[in-house]
Amino acid sequence: MSSILSPLLNNAKVKVDRVICVENLIKDYKKHLNIDVSSYFIGLQEITLYKCELSGYRFFYPYNVAGNGFFYEQLQSYDWYYMPWKWENQKTLSLLNKTYKILEIGSGGLGFIKKLNDLGYNITGLELNENSVKIGQSIGVNIKNESIQNHAKTNLGYYDFVCSFQVLEHISEVNSFIEAQISCLKKGGKLLISVPNNNSFIKFNHGGILNAPPHHMGLWDINSLKYLTNIYNIKLDSVFYEPLQDYHLDWFINSSIAFRFKRMPLLRRFFGSYKFKILFRRIVKVFQKFIKGHTIIAVFVKEK
């Protein structure tokens, strides 16, 4: 049994879920993204993915292997990294009204905050990337270069709605991060968390290279999200699952075939052939809206 404790629950025991070879991780980042991440793993031969026995939350250890600003600048060179408007943004918009004071944490892509600002919503954004903050301020959005922990000190009980999109999985200190979000909410205010759903098809290849440090530091699913109601003064209001998106079709198909036939190379080669993939794609397209995609949204209500 590990002596490491869960960053979500200080008194909860954890068990080893998976051990990752650092050398292979560095090679994969270089191969798939042409990014050298070796400086984040100096002196390490492996990192460990632990699972909290109470909440089911999984996290990478050690904690000090998270990416810095330069790492995210490199990722931003890929146009798919900050898509300006996605399914989760549209779903969130449908939950809002213009009387709300809204806080978005992690506004670096500027897509959501700009759209809502243009539509006349009262929205504030927090972002640690100074360049994104400067760009946001130059186009007239209310965005601050500040952590949620610091922002909460002067904004207790101020907001009606606090949201973050694909942010929580990057955070090591999840307890203080979530606590600060809730403290910013009024009683009855809503907290929306949008994260990769590690119980969807992405589990077939462990979520891909970006689902590991220095990019992601924690892995969430419906069970670990629901467990937050046992830790904080919130109740679960609703859950939304993203349907499989067109731009994830190839990922779904390739990872499904590799997973189903990982110990059967001949079948994997057959089902991985171009002709079969064309047929598989047509079948998947018919049922696409019923297949759980990359992202899950959980909406909570602050009770008091």
Side-chain angles (χ1 to χ4, degrees):
M1 184 67 67
S2 171
S3 61
I4 306 298
L5 297 177
S6 168
L8 192 59
L9 285 158
N10 290 331
N11 61 343
K13 293 180 180 180
V14 302
K15 59 183 178 182
V16 175
D17 186 88
R18 184 160 49 99
V19 176
I20 300 168
C21 171
V22 163
E23 183 180 358
N24 292 340
L25 194 59
I26 292 170
K27 286 179 180 177
D28 284 344
Y29 267 98
K30 190 66 177 177
K31 175 183 176 181
H32 297 290
L33 296 166
N34 196 30
I35 295 177
D36 180 5
V37 297
S38 58
S39 62
Y40 300 100
F41 304 105
I42 293 173
L44 295 173
Q45 293 184 325
E46 60 186 32
I47 59 173
T48 305
L49 180 65
Y50 288 99
K51 183 175 183 178
C52 172
E53 293 188 345
L54 287 177
S55 67
Y57 172 62
R58 291 183 292 160
F59 62 95
F60 292 97
Y61 187 87
Y63 301 128
N64 63 350
V65 293
N68 57 19
F70 178 64
F71 172 72
Y72 285 96
E73 284 178 23
Q74 291 176 289
L75 285 174
Q76 286 175 43
S77 66
Y78 293 95
D79 56 10
W80 46 260
Y81 189 72
Y82 273 140
M83 293 176 64
W85 195 257
K86 298 191 287 186
W87 166 85
E88 62 209 83
N89 304 128
Q90 188 63 41
K91 175 57 70 175
T92 302
L93 181 59
S94 71
L95 304 176
L96 301 173
N97 70 58
K98 290 187 177 178
T99 66
Y100 287 176
K101 293 185 182 73
I102 304 163
L103 177 66
E104 182 194 13
I105 301 150
S107 301
L110 301 175
F112 185 73
I113 190 172
K114 183 180 185 304
K115 175 85 167 181
L116 265 66
N117 185 69
D118 291 347
L119 290 172
Y121 286 85
N122 181 355
I123 182 168
T124 299
L126 303 181
E127 174 57 44
L128 298 181
N129 185 316
E130 292 183 13
N131 188 51
S132 291
V133 172
K134 289 177 183 177
I135 295 171
Q137 290 174 346
S138 73
I139 60 175
V141 299
N142 182 19
I143 184 170
K144 304 175 187 296
N145 183 217
E146 189 176 24
S147 71
I148 180 59
Q149 290 90 337
N150 282 336
H151 190 74
K153 293 174 183 177
T154 54
N155 290 276
L156 295 175
Y158 180 76
Y159 294 98
D160 301 284
F161 198 94
V162 174
C163 58
S164 63
F165 305 103
Q166 314 298 326
V167 172
L168 187 58
E169 66 274 18
H170 298 266
I171 307 298
S172 294
E173 297 179 3
V174 287
N175 193 296
S176 66
F177 184 87
I178 296 170
E179 213 166 53
Q181 291 180 86
I182 296 168
S183 68
C184 283
L185 282 169
K186 299 174 180 177
K187 178 183 177 181
K190 292 187 175 181
L191 171 67
L192 182 146
I193 297 173
S194 171
V195 287
N197 178 11
N198 285 277
N199 219 15
S200 71
F201 78 92
I202 72 172
K203 68 184 179 183
F204 294 153
N205 69 340
H206 298 301
I209 184 61
L210 286 176
N211 211 28
H215 192 241
H216 287 177
M217 295 301 296
L219 307 182
W220 296 88
D221 59 23
I222 184 57
N223 294 322
S224 50
L225 287 168
K226 282 182 175 179
Y227 198 86
L228 296 180
T229 61
N230 295 312
I231 307 171
Y232 306 102
N233 189 36
I234 53 176
K235 65 179 179 180
L236 185 64
D237 180 75
S238 50
V239 175
F240 304 99
Y241 294 96
E242 177 186 30
L244 181 65
Q245 301 297 303
D246 285 342
Y247 49 82
H248 285 152
L249 274 175
D250 288 338
W251 183 6
F252 174 81
I253 290 168
N254 292 333
S255 61
S256 297
I257 292 170
F259 178 76
R260 300 298 180 191
F261 305 108
K262 59 185 175 182
R263 291 186 175 86
M264 295 175 276
L266 292 178
L267 287 177
R268 187 169 66 245
R269 193 176 304 121
F270 170 77
F271 286 108
S273 66
Y274 176 77
K275 287 184 178 180
F276 182 82
K277 282 185 178 180
I278 293 296
L279 174 62
F280 194 11
R281 174 181 276 266
R282 289 174 182 167
I283 296 170
V284 171
K285 288 286 286 183
V286 173
F287 299 99
Q288 186 173 346
K289 66 180 180 180
F290 303 108
I291 299 172
K292 289 179 181 176
H294 173 273
T295 295
I296 183 173
I297 290 175
V299 183
F300 302 89
V301 176
K302 183 176 181 178
E303 294 197 289
K304 59 183 178 180

